[in-house]
Amino acid sequence: MDRQKQRELLRLLEEDSRRSAEQIARLMGVSQAEVEEAIAALEGEKVIVKYPALINWELVEDDPYVTAMIDVKVTPKRDVGFDEVADRICRFPEVQAVYLMSGASYDLSVVLEGRTMREVAAFVSQKLATMDSVVSTATHFILKKYKHDGIQFEDRDEDRRMVVTP
């Protein structure tokens, strides 16, 4: 499969990973076998890493988790830069994502989930801030998600403002 068709395949999977190889083949105008072979190759090359479901956890009443974004200022190490400390942070199971940032007053952005704000605070003070290369941290708690991975959680088409008349 050529690069353009691969990109089309990846976009279709990213849009809806529950589509069957047969459905994708029809949409792309190729054979089902070609789609299956391309998907297997992309999975083998780690281009396709996972097929996740996007859950709006705010609609689950007993959702016990809080999400925090932590700005981390780091002193890079000679010969390894930020990679070593980022790798150490990635190993914590409560860490959901780690990004090297540009144009910010911090170096790494860490997305973390905890059961309570106190649990997140304990992670920052006892695990993250104590690392040798970490200079400072700033923790931001996510209060509400409006859009995630390109999906808007609430349909805002309906005008919910109260009608006011004199």
Side-chain angles (χ1 to χ4, degrees), residues 94-153:
E94 51 270 76
V95 171
Q96 302 299 306
V98 178
Y99 304 102
L100 179 61
M101 303 302 290
S102 154
S105 60
Y106 54 94
D107 304 303
L108 298 174
S109 180
V110 177
V111 179
L112 177 83
E113 270 192 358
R115 280 182 232 138
T116 63
M117 292 172 100
R118 181 169 285 166
E119 187 177 287
V120 171
F123 172 85
V124 173
S125 64
Q126 296 168 10
K127 295 179 181 178
L128 193 59
T130 60
M131 296 174 84
D132 290 339
S133 297
V134 173
V135 176
S136 66
T137 64
T139 304
H140 312 276
F141 287 95
I142 295 176
L143 302 177
K144 183 175 182 176
K145 288 182 185 176
Y146 293 97
K147 187 175 184 177
H148 185 79
D149 283 345
I151 304 298
Q152 190 167 345
F153 284 128

Side-chain angles (χ1 to χ4, degrees), residues 21-39:
E22 181 184 355
Q23 291 171 320
I24 294 170
R26 267 188 268 124
L27 289 168
M28 293 179 60
V30 297
S31 72
Q32 181 177 338
E34 193 175 354
V35 169
E36 290 168 348
E37 185 179 302
I39 289 173

Side-chain angles (χ1 to χ4, degrees), residues 8 21 47 50 60 66 75 86 98 103 113-114 120 123 131 138 157 162:
E8 183 181 356
V47 172
K50 188 177 178 183
V60 179
V66 294
T75 303
V98 178
E113 270 192 358
V120 171
F123 172 85
M131 296 174 84
D157 291 341
M162 184 183 297

